[in-house]
Amino acid sequence: MACTHDHSCEDHDCSSNWSLYKHIDLSKVTALNEANPGSVKSVFKAWEERLNSSGEHLESNEGDPELLVYIPFTSDVKIKSISVVGGADGTSPSKLRVFINRDGIDFSDAQSMQPVQEWDLVENLQGVLEYQTRYSKFQSVANITLHFPESFGGDTTQIHYIGFKGEATQLKRDVATIVYEITPNPSDHKTRAETGGGLSHVE
Amino acid sequence: MVLEATMICIDNSEWMRNGDYSPSRFQAQADAVSLICGAKTQSNPENTVGILTMAGKGVRVLATPTSDLGKILSCMHGLEMGGEMNLAAGIQIAQLALKHRQNKNQQQRIIVFAGSPIKHEKKALEMIGKKLKKNSVALDIVDFGEEEDGKPEKLEALLASVNNNDTSHIVHVPPGQNALSDVLISTPVFTGDGEGGSGFAAAAAAAAAGGVSDFDFGVDPNIDPELALALRVSMEEERARQEAAAKRAAEEAGRQEKGEEAQPQSDSQNATSTTTEKVSDPMDEDDALLKQALALSMNIPGSDSSAGDAQMSEATNDDQELAMALQMSMQEGSKDSSAPSDVSKVLGDQSFMSSILSSLPGVDPNDPNVKDLLASLPGQSEPQQKKDEDEQPSKDDK
C-alpha cells in the first residue's frame, strides 16, 4: 500500500518523513476520555500501517466525542505537519487544537486556553491529508497535547492514526548532571580525537 | 505502589452523632480516615492525601493533598458536626483540589464517606460521575450510617458512571459489631486494587483484631523478629514466674486450709493458666510439672523432713490432716474446675486454723493482727495478708 500522491515512491521513502513516531515516549502517552485505557498508544505507528485498522484504535467514551491526547517526546522535535486518520460514519474528529510543552492539561483547561494552532479537519479516511504547522512555533517541542473537541456528528470519536512529520533534534529537556572541577586536568578527560573519533573537544 | 493523589471527603453532618457505630459514627469515620491516610502514604512515599468536610456551613478543604501524615491527622482534631452533607459540591471541590496537585504524574482518586441521606437526584449524581470519568478521576464510596430508601441505588448509579475498568469501588457497611475501619481494611478501598497496601493492611488487621492472629503475640516474626523474640522470651519468663507462684499458692492453700482462699487462688491459677494457654502450648506440661512438684513434696508425709522442701515437708510432718488437705488442693490445682466443698468442710474449723498458724514460722498467734485476721475468718483480705506473710518467710528461706 503506497502513498497516493502523484509520484512514484521508489524515489524516496515517504515513510521516513513520518518517522517522528519513533521519538515518541510511548510509555508516557496518556489520553483523557478514552473508552479503553491505554488504547491511545496504538495510534502511533509507521506510515505504512496508518490504514491498518485491524488492531486497536482510540475511541472516546459513549456519547462524548471529546478527546485529549498528551504526547511527550524523548527529545525535542520540530514538527512540520500533522496527519490524522479518523473513523467512518461521522466518527472522525472535525477540529484539532494543539498545545505545546504544557503538562497536565485537562478538559476545562483545554477549553479555556488559547491553543498554539487549530485546524478544521476533514474526513481523512485514506490518510492522504496533512495539516501544516506554523513551523516557527513548533521548533522545540518536548511534548504536545492534541485536543479534539467534536466529531462529524457521530456519538463517539475514533482515531486510527496520528502522524507527525518533522525532524528530531538531539536536545533533551531532562535534568542534567554537571560535575564541576576546581583544577581540571585535561589528561584525565580523553578527547574523542585521541580515542579516534569525532571532533576534538574536551568533554 | 500506584502513585496517587487522594482527596477524602468526610461527612460531618448532624447524622454523625448517632452511636450505632461505636463509639459514634463520626469517631468511627475518623478512625477509618486516619487508617486510610496511613495506608496510602505507606504504600508509596510520594502519595499525597487531602481532606475536606462536606457538611457544616459549607464544603471546607481542611488539607490540600500533602504527604505529611501529621498535618492530615492534626486537621482532623476539633471538627464539629452540624448541618447537612452536600455530596455534589464536595465531590466537585475535591476534583478541583486534585486538579491543582503539584505532581501531575499522580493518579487522581476521591474517597467519599456517605453517612447521611443524599438529597441530590440520581441524574445529577450521574452527571458528576461522568465528569469524573472524563477527567480520569477514580472514586471510592463508603456507604455507612443512615440507611435511607434509594441511597444505595443512588450511590451505585454514581459508581457505575464513574467506574472505568474497575478502578472505582463502593463499600456498604451496615451498623454492627465490627468497627468501620476493620470492615474497610479488607476492601479494595484499602488494598488499592489488589496491589500495594496489602502489607500495611495485614499488619493493621493483626493489630486491630487483637487475639485473632496467625502469629504468636500478634507480631509477624518476618516483619519484626526482635520484637517477636522479646515477646516470646518475656512470655516464657512470665509463665515460669506464674508456675512458681502457683506452686507457692498451692503450698499456702494446703497450709492455711481455707476453702475460700483456695477458690480465688485456683481461679487466679485458672486465669493465669488460660492466658498462657491462649498464647502458647497447652498447660498440660505445666500441670504435669506442678503435679510432680506437689507429689514430690507429698512423698514425705510423716517421715523425717528432707532439706529440699522446706515449708511443705515441715507442715506435713506435723499434721496428717494437713497432708490430706494438701492432696485435695493439689487435685484442685491440676483441674481447671474447682469444687472445694470437701476441703472447705475440713478447713472451716477455727481451732484447726490456729493450730496450723502456730506451727508456721514467723507467725505469732498472739499478735493482735493475727487475732483480727482469725476473727474475720471468711474475709477476702485475709488470704492476701496471710499469703504475704507466708511469702515473706518463704522468700527468706529461699
Side-chain angles (χ1 to χ4, degrees), chain B residues 229-268:
Chain B
L229 185 64
L231 282 171
R232 193 186 305 279
V233 167
S234 75
M235 192 54 75
E236 283 177 6
E237 280 179 27
E238 176 70 18
R239 208 187 315 151
R241 192 179 68 73
Q242 278 166 359
E243 271 174 46
K247 230 192 283 179
R248 243 182 278 124
E251 292 172 24
E252 288 151 22
R255 226 183 299 123
Q256 292 161 9
E257 296 172 352
K258 280 202 69 177
E260 289 108 338
E261 185 192 346
Q263 179 142 19
Q265 272 192 14
S266 55
D267 281 346
S268 63

Side-chain angles (χ1 to χ4, degrees), chain B residues 5-10 50-54 59-61 63-65 86-101 108-112 128 131-132 137-139:
Chain B
T6 309
M7 278 299 288
I8 304 184
C9 302
I10 296 183
I51 312 235
L52 62 80
T53 54
M54 292 191 283
V59 176
R60 192 158 71 100
V61 176
T64 55
N86 187 346
L87 186 64
I91 294 181
Q92 284 168 331
I93 293 188
Q95 191 184 351
L96 196 61
L98 285 173
K99 182 177 148 166
H100 293 287
R101 65 197 186 284
Q108 302 171 73
R109 180 175 291 272
I110 299 177
I111 302 181
V112 173
I128 294 173
K131 191 157 163 256
L132 288 178
V137 179
L139 180 66

Side-chain angles (χ1 to χ4, degrees), chain B residues 149-169:
Chain B
D149 276 346
K151 181 178 170 200
E153 285 83 26
K154 283 185 188 172
L155 292 175
E156 292 279 356
L158 174 60
L159 181 83
S161 61
V162 178
N163 203 354
N164 185 3
N165 234 28
D166 274 342
T167 51
S168 303
H169 317 96

Side-chain angles (χ1 to χ4, degrees), chain B residues 329-355:
Chain B
S329 68
M330 186 190 80
Q331 282 170 354
E332 261 171 50
S334 54
K335 283 187 220 149
D336 276 354
S337 62
S338 58
S341 50
D342 302 332
V343 186
S344 52
K345 262 189 250 163
V346 173
L347 307 181
D349 196 357
Q350 190 167 359
S351 58
F352 192 55
M353 280 303 315
S354 46
S355 70

Side-chain angles (χ1 to χ4, degrees), chain A residues 102-184:
Chain A
R102 299 198 60 133
D103 265 6
I105 296 185
D106 71 349
F107 283 108
S108 50
D109 294 336
Q111 279 146 10
S112 54
M113 275 171 22
Q114 186 77 336
V116 173
Q117 194 167 353
E118 62 181 306
W119 296 268
D120 287 324
L121 308 178
V122 296
E123 288 193 338
N124 181 16
L125 294 170
Q126 297 306 310
V128 298
L129 284 178
E130 50 187 79
Y131 303 95
Q132 289 214 320
T133 64
R134 278 185 223 131
Y135 200 47
S136 57
K137 297 202 178 157
F138 287 74
Q139 284 297 300
S140 62
V141 179
N143 58 65
I144 189 170
T145 307
L146 307 177
H147 177 216
F148 302 96
E150 48 198 46
S151 68
F152 282 104
D155 241 5
T156 66
T157 300
Q158 288 180 13
I159 296 188
H160 293 269
Y161 170 74
I162 296 178
F164 297 100
K165 189 192 238 183
E167 56 192 56
T169 66
Q170 295 305 311
L171 305 172
K172 287 185 192 235
R173 284 176 184 241
D174 289 341
V175 173
T177 322
I178 304 174
V179 177
Y180 295 92
E181 292 189 0
I182 293 183
T183 51

Side-chain angles (χ1 to χ4, degrees), chain B residues 301-321:
Chain B
S303 63
D304 293 338
S305 62
S306 59
D309 300 310
Q311 272 68 33
M312 277 299 257
S313 42
E314 272 183 315
T316 52
N317 282 343
D318 294 340
D319 212 333
Q320 288 302 318
E321 285 178 17

Side-chain angles (χ1 to χ4, degrees), chain B residues 176-247:
Chain B
Q177 189 65 12
N178 304 327
L180 186 61
S181 5
D182 292 341
V183 174
L184 283 179
I185 279 176
S186 52
T187 58
V189 173
F190 251 90
T191 58
D193 305 340
E195 42 163 308
S198 53
F200 180 91
V212 186
S213 66
D214 292 336
F215 311 111
D216 297 337
F217 323 122
V219 173
D220 183 357
N222 295 330
I223 291 178
D224 205 343
E226 289 130 357
L227 183 58
L229 185 64
L231 282 171
R232 193 186 305 279
V233 167
S234 75
M235 192 54 75
E236 283 177 6
E237 280 179 27
E238 176 70 18
R239 208 187 315 151
R241 192 179 68 73
Q242 278 166 359
E243 271 174 46
K247 230 192 283 179

Side-chain angles (χ1 to χ4, degrees), chain A residues 32-33 35 37 61 64 66 106-109, chain B residues 95 99 104-105 130 133-136 164-165:
Chain A
L32 286 186
N33 204 27
N61 277 319
D64 192 356
E66 220 174 334
D106 71 349
F107 283 108
S108 50
D109 294 336
Chain B
Q95 191 184 351
K99 182 177 148 166
K104 301 286 181 194
N105 290 330
K130 272 204 212 122
K133 182 173 175 182
K134 192 165 170 185
N135 286 298
S136 84
N164 185 3
N165 234 28

